[in-house]
mmCIF file of all heavy atoms in Angstrom:
data_model
loop_
_atom_site.group_PDB
_atom_site.id
_atom_site.type_symbol
_atom_site.label_atom_id
_atom_site.label_comp_id
_atom_site.label_asym_id
_atom_site.label_seq_id
_atom_site.Cartn_x
_atom_site.Cartn_y
_atom_site.Cartn_z
ATOM 1 N N MET A 295 3.568 -14.240 -6.668
ATOM 2 C CA MET A 295 2.548 -13.339 -7.271
ATOM 3 C C MET A 295 2.606 -13.595 -8.720
ATOM 4 O O MET A 295 3.354 -14.364 -9.293
ATOM 5 C CB MET A 295 2.947 -11.836 -6.979
ATOM 6 C CG MET A 295 2.812 -11.563 -5.420
ATOM 7 S SD MET A 295 3.258 -9.777 -5.126
ATOM 8 C CE MET A 295 3.048 -9.793 -3.302
ATOM 9 N N ASN A 296 1.628 -12.887 -9.455
ATOM 10 C CA ASN A 296 1.443 -13.157 -10.936
ATOM 11 C C ASN A 296 2.257 -12.254 -11.788
ATOM 12 O O ASN A 296 2.223 -11.030 -11.581
ATOM 13 C CB ASN A 296 0.060 -13.129 -11.298
ATOM 14 C CG ASN A 296 -0.862 -14.110 -10.496
ATOM 15 O OD1 ASN A 296 -0.379 -15.263 -10.430
ATOM 16 N ND2 ASN A 296 -2.025 -13.706 -10.058
ATOM 17 N N LEU A 297 2.927 -12.763 -12.781
ATOM 18 C CA LEU A 297 3.358 -11.916 -13.913
ATOM 19 C C LEU A 297 2.120 -11.646 -14.734
ATOM 20 O O LEU A 297 1.228 -12.482 -14.815
ATOM 21 C CB LEU A 297 4.361 -12.653 -14.703
ATOM 22 C CG LEU A 297 5.757 -12.937 -14.183
ATOM 23 C CD1 LEU A 297 6.531 -13.856 -15.122
ATOM 24 C CD2 LEU A 297 6.542 -11.617 -14.012
ATOM 25 N N ASN A 298 2.002 -10.462 -15.392
ATOM 26 C CA ASN A 298 0.895 -10.288 -16.229
ATOM 27 C C ASN A 298 1.114 -10.860 -17.642
ATOM 28 O O ASN A 298 2.201 -11.336 -17.970
ATOM 29 C CB ASN A 298 0.470 -8.680 -16.281
ATOM 30 C CG ASN A 298 1.555 -7.867 -16.820
ATOM 31 O OD1 ASN A 298 2.140 -8.173 -17.863
ATOM 32 N ND2 ASN A 298 1.840 -6.773 -16.277
ATOM 33 N N VAL A 299 0.138 -10.704 -18.484
ATOM 34 C CA VAL A 299 0.145 -11.384 -19.817
ATOM 35 C C VAL A 299 1.313 -10.880 -20.635
ATOM 36 O O VAL A 299 1.918 -11.662 -21.302
ATOM 37 C CB VAL A 299 -1.234 -11.200 -20.479
ATOM 38 C CG1 VAL A 299 -1.531 -9.717 -20.738
ATOM 39 C CG2 VAL A 299 -1.239 -11.997 -21.823
ATOM 40 N N VAL A 300 1.638 -9.654 -20.571
ATOM 41 C CA VAL A 300 2.693 -9.110 -21.326
ATOM 42 C C VAL A 300 4.089 -9.566 -20.792
ATOM 43 O O VAL A 300 4.991 -9.928 -21.534
ATOM 44 C CB VAL A 300 2.665 -7.594 -21.550
ATOM 45 C CG1 VAL A 300 3.970 -6.983 -22.090
ATOM 46 C CG2 VAL A 300 1.437 -7.178 -22.341
ATOM 47 N N GLU A 301 4.174 -9.529 -19.522
ATOM 48 C CA GLU A 301 5.396 -9.958 -18.840
ATOM 49 C C GLU A 301 5.687 -11.438 -19.215
ATOM 50 O O GLU A 301 6.844 -11.837 -19.330
ATOM 51 C CB GLU A 301 5.412 -9.750 -17.287
ATOM 52 C CG GLU A 301 5.311 -8.274 -16.930
ATOM 53 C CD GLU A 301 4.892 -8.010 -15.526
ATOM 54 O OE1 GLU A 301 4.311 -8.774 -14.903
ATOM 55 O OE2 GLU A 301 5.178 -6.848 -15.052
ATOM 56 N N ARG A 302 4.605 -12.251 -19.174
ATOM 57 C CA ARG A 302 4.826 -13.660 -19.525
ATOM 58 C C ARG A 302 5.276 -13.781 -20.971
ATOM 59 O O ARG A 302 6.148 -14.622 -21.248
ATOM 60 C CB ARG A 302 3.594 -14.465 -19.282
ATOM 61 C CG ARG A 302 3.088 -14.611 -17.813
ATOM 62 C CD ARG A 302 2.098 -15.646 -17.562
ATOM 63 N NE ARG A 302 0.916 -15.511 -18.399
ATOM 64 C CZ ARG A 302 -0.137 -14.781 -18.095
ATOM 65 N NH1 ARG A 302 -0.139 -14.023 -16.929
ATOM 66 N NH2 ARG A 302 -1.228 -14.657 -18.895
ATOM 67 N N ASP A 303 4.741 -12.999 -21.808
ATOM 68 C CA ASP A 303 5.101 -13.029 -23.203
ATOM 69 C C ASP A 303 6.587 -12.614 -23.387
ATOM 70 O O ASP A 303 7.341 -13.250 -24.147
ATOM 71 C CB ASP A 303 4.167 -12.101 -24.045
ATOM 72 C CG ASP A 303 4.451 -12.149 -25.503
ATOM 73 O OD1 ASP A 303 4.286 -13.243 -26.070
ATOM 74 O OD2 ASP A 303 4.936 -11.174 -26.054
ATOM 75 N N VAL A 304 7.001 -11.548 -22.794
ATOM 76 C CA VAL A 304 8.309 -11.116 -22.865
ATOM 77 C C VAL A 304 9.284 -12.103 -22.249
ATOM 78 O O VAL A 304 10.399 -12.411 -22.778
ATOM 79 C CB VAL A 304 8.545 -9.656 -22.151
ATOM 80 C CG1 VAL A 304 9.963 -9.313 -21.952
ATOM 81 C CG2 VAL A 304 7.770 -8.611 -22.837
ATOM 82 N N ALA A 305 8.887 -12.790 -21.197
ATOM 83 C CA ALA A 305 9.729 -13.798 -20.564
ATOM 84 C C ALA A 305 9.939 -14.963 -21.551
ATOM 85 O O ALA A 305 11.082 -15.416 -21.664
ATOM 86 C CB ALA A 305 8.982 -14.359 -19.249
ATOM 87 N N ALA A 306 8.897 -15.305 -22.220
ATOM 88 C CA ALA A 306 9.032 -16.426 -23.144
ATOM 89 C C ALA A 306 9.968 -16.032 -24.316
ATOM 90 O O ALA A 306 10.775 -16.817 -24.821
ATOM 91 C CB ALA A 306 7.593 -16.860 -23.690
ATOM 92 N N ARG A 307 9.811 -14.809 -24.771
ATOM 93 C CA ARG A 307 10.646 -14.354 -25.862
ATOM 94 C C ARG A 307 12.152 -14.246 -25.453
ATOM 95 O O ARG A 307 13.026 -14.517 -26.270
ATOM 96 C CB ARG A 307 10.227 -12.939 -26.365
ATOM 97 C CG ARG A 307 8.855 -12.980 -27.067
ATOM 98 C CD ARG A 307 8.684 -11.650 -27.897
ATOM 99 N NE ARG A 307 7.482 -10.962 -27.414
ATOM 100 C CZ ARG A 307 7.167 -9.717 -27.963
ATOM 101 N NH1 ARG A 307 7.901 -9.126 -28.829
ATOM 102 N NH2 ARG A 307 6.072 -9.112 -27.504
ATOM 103 N N ILE A 308 12.384 -13.775 -24.231
ATOM 104 C CA ILE A 308 13.762 -13.724 -23.710
ATOM 105 C C ILE A 308 14.414 -15.137 -23.634
ATOM 106 O O ILE A 308 15.481 -15.384 -24.071
ATOM 107 C CB ILE A 308 13.812 -12.983 -22.393
ATOM 108 C CG1 ILE A 308 13.569 -11.498 -22.539
ATOM 109 C CG2 ILE A 308 15.179 -13.224 -21.675
ATOM 110 C CD1 ILE A 308 13.463 -10.696 -21.340
ATOM 111 N N LYS A 309 13.592 -16.067 -23.112
ATOM 112 C CA LYS A 309 14.050 -17.408 -22.978
ATOM 113 C C LYS A 309 14.522 -18.000 -24.313
ATOM 114 O O LYS A 309 15.567 -18.663 -24.429
ATOM 115 C CB LYS A 309 12.962 -18.275 -22.297
ATOM 116 C CG LYS A 309 13.500 -19.589 -21.804
ATOM 117 C CD LYS A 309 12.415 -20.286 -20.986
ATOM 118 C CE LYS A 309 12.935 -21.613 -20.478
ATOM 119 N NZ LYS A 309 11.917 -22.361 -19.727
ATOM 120 N N LYS A 310 13.603 -17.741 -25.321
ATOM 121 C CA LYS A 310 13.905 -18.326 -26.656
ATOM 122 C C LYS A 310 15.146 -17.574 -27.239
ATOM 123 O O LYS A 310 16.068 -18.204 -27.739
ATOM 124 C CB LYS A 310 12.598 -18.071 -27.508
ATOM 125 C CG LYS A 310 12.785 -18.623 -28.963
ATOM 126 C CD LYS A 310 11.329 -18.778 -29.492
ATOM 127 C CE LYS A 310 11.480 -19.275 -30.987
ATOM 128 N NZ LYS A 310 11.094 -18.215 -31.844
ATOM 129 N N GLN A 311 15.144 -16.276 -27.129
ATOM 130 C CA GLN A 311 16.249 -15.503 -27.788
ATOM 131 C C GLN A 311 17.614 -15.813 -27.209
ATOM 132 O O GLN A 311 18.563 -15.889 -27.956
ATOM 133 C CB GLN A 311 15.897 -14.015 -27.630
ATOM 134 C CG GLN A 311 16.944 -13.066 -28.150
ATOM 135 C CD GLN A 311 17.093 -13.016 -29.645
ATOM 136 O OE1 GLN A 311 16.138 -13.419 -30.369
ATOM 137 N NE2 GLN A 311 18.283 -12.680 -30.187
ATOM 138 N N TYR A 312 17.634 -16.026 -25.911
ATOM 139 C CA TYR A 312 18.878 -16.214 -25.188
ATOM 140 C C TYR A 312 19.036 -17.655 -24.805
ATOM 141 O O TYR A 312 19.934 -17.994 -23.986
ATOM 142 C CB TYR A 312 18.962 -15.293 -24.021
ATOM 143 C CG TYR A 312 19.115 -13.835 -24.431
ATOM 144 C CD1 TYR A 312 17.962 -13.101 -24.541
ATOM 145 C CD2 TYR A 312 20.300 -13.273 -24.911
ATOM 146 C CE1 TYR A 312 18.062 -11.734 -24.986
ATOM 147 C CE2 TYR A 312 20.391 -12.026 -25.389
ATOM 148 C CZ TYR A 312 19.244 -11.198 -25.383
ATOM 149 O OH TYR A 312 19.309 -9.919 -25.813
ATOM 150 N N LYS A 313 18.341 -18.591 -25.483
ATOM 151 C CA LYS A 313 18.449 -19.994 -25.378
ATOM 152 C C LYS A 313 18.551 -20.438 -23.874
ATOM 153 O O LYS A 313 19.487 -21.270 -23.505
ATOM 154 C CB LYS A 313 19.736 -20.435 -26.072
ATOM 155 C CG LYS A 313 19.691 -20.148 -27.591
ATOM 156 C CD LYS A 313 20.920 -20.526 -28.345
ATOM 157 C CE LYS A 313 20.667 -20.315 -29.867
ATOM 158 N NZ LYS A 313 20.141 -19.035 -30.239
ATOM 159 N N GLY A 314 17.750 -19.930 -23.117
ATOM 160 C CA GLY A 314 17.644 -20.356 -21.653
ATOM 161 C C GLY A 314 18.743 -19.783 -20.742
ATOM 162 O O GLY A 314 18.881 -20.219 -19.657
ATOM 163 N N GLU A 315 19.526 -18.791 -21.286
ATOM 164 C CA GLU A 315 20.577 -18.209 -20.457
ATOM 165 C C GLU A 315 20.166 -16.921 -19.790
ATOM 166 O O GLU A 315 20.942 -16.428 -18.977
ATOM 167 C CB GLU A 315 21.840 -18.116 -21.288
ATOM 168 C CG GLU A 315 22.446 -19.522 -21.598
ATOM 169 C CD GLU A 315 23.785 -19.387 -22.256
ATOM 170 O OE1 GLU A 315 24.192 -18.250 -22.698
ATOM 171 O OE2 GLU A 315 24.436 -20.510 -22.393
ATOM 172 N N ARG A 316 19.095 -16.302 -20.199
ATOM 173 C CA ARG A 316 18.579 -15.174 -19.522
ATOM 174 C C ARG A 316 17.103 -15.431 -19.168
ATOM 175 O O ARG A 316 16.408 -16.147 -19.875
ATOM 176 C CB ARG A 316 18.681 -13.867 -20.379
ATOM 177 C CG ARG A 316 20.143 -13.566 -20.695
ATOM 178 C CD ARG A 316 20.269 -12.158 -21.342
ATOM 179 N NE ARG A 316 21.678 -12.014 -21.854
ATOM 180 C CZ ARG A 316 22.071 -10.892 -22.452
ATOM 181 N NH1 ARG A 316 21.246 -9.908 -22.616
ATOM 182 N NH2 ARG A 316 23.323 -10.757 -22.834
ATOM 183 N N HIS A 317 16.656 -14.807 -18.094
ATOM 184 C CA HIS A 317 15.356 -15.091 -17.536
ATOM 185 C C HIS A 317 14.621 -13.886 -17.113
ATOM 186 O O HIS A 317 15.287 -12.925 -16.530
ATOM 187 C CB HIS A 317 15.484 -16.095 -16.351
ATOM 188 C CG HIS A 317 16.207 -17.328 -16.753
ATOM 189 N ND1 HIS A 317 15.576 -18.383 -17.258
ATOM 190 C CD2 HIS A 317 17.561 -17.613 -16.652
ATOM 191 C CE1 HIS A 317 16.609 -19.324 -17.483
ATOM 192 N NE2 HIS A 317 17.723 -18.832 -17.115
ATOM 193 N N LEU A 318 13.380 -13.851 -17.302
ATOM 194 C CA LEU A 318 12.434 -12.777 -16.621
ATOM 195 C C LEU A 318 11.564 -13.623 -15.726
ATOM 196 O O LEU A 318 10.785 -14.499 -16.215
ATOM 197 C CB LEU A 318 11.789 -11.976 -17.640
ATOM 198 C CG LEU A 318 10.873 -10.864 -17.097
ATOM 199 C CD1 LEU A 318 10.754 -9.746 -18.079
ATOM 200 C CD2 LEU A 318 9.539 -11.284 -16.693
#
Side-chain angles (χ1 to χ4, degrees):
Chain A
M295 292 183 183
N296 298 319
L297 290 171
N298 65 43
V299 61
V300 168
E301 292 165 343
R302 293 196 304 276
D303 183 65
V304 170
R307 289 198 241 177
I308 288 175
K309 192 170 182 183
K310 183 158 175 252
Q311 176 69 21
Y312 293 94
K313 301 181 171 48
E315 291 187 347
R316 295 190 190 182
H317 306 271
L318 184 152

